[in-house]
């Protein structure tokens, strides 16, 4: 799921949230590069235990965006000019 995530100093940035076991954000980013225009590439991919539901049982996009924003310890990956995590190729 692609989301607009708030960043206090930079406004909103595109990020993606997904669920699953043994997912590697750097491989997801590589696959997305072959499918998406550069301007729509997420700056961060978060693998969550589950996508948060709202009261209607649908995905709560604001809560998912907040979960990604709370993971500031994970640097953005893959986008031009963004730092890559140590050990990422």
């Amino acid at each position: 799921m692609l989301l607009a995530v708030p960043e206090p100093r930079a406004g909103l940035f595109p990020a993606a949230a997904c669920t699953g076991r043994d997912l590697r954000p750097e491989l997801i980013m590589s696959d997305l590069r072959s499918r998406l225009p550069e301007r729509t590439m997420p700056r961060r991919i978060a693998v969550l235990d589950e996508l948060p539901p709202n009261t209607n049982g649908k995905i709560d996009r604001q809560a998912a965006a907040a979960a990604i924003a709370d993971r500031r310890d994970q640097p953005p990956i893959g986008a031009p000019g963004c730092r890559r995590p140590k050990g990422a190729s």
Side-chain angles (χ1 to χ4, degrees):
M1 160 186 311
L2 191 61
L3 302 160
V5 176
E7 167 60 45
R9 290 176 276 166
L12 298 174
F13 70 88
C18 58
T19 62
R21 294 178 55 174
D22 302 322
L23 294 178
R24 295 179 50 200
E26 64 273 9
L27 294 179
I28 296 169
M29 189 70 77
S30 177
D31 184 56
L32 289 175
R33 267 193 209 96
S34 69
R35 299 169 187 258
L36 296 175
E38 187 64 38
R39 70 185 187 295
T40 63
M41 284 293 297
R43 285 183 33 205
R44 182 174 294 148
I45 294 179
V47 178
L48 305 174
D49 293 332
E50 64 178 19
L51 295 173
N54 65 18
T55 56
N56 294 325
K58 296 180 180 182
I59 296 171
D60 187 334
R61 297 177 71 81
Q62 289 181 330
I68 294 171
D70 288 345
R71 294 175 168 220
R72 290 202 176 95
D73 58 318
Q74 295 178 342
I77 60 173
C82 293
R83 295 176 296 144
R84 299 176 78 78
K86 290 181 182 177
S89 53

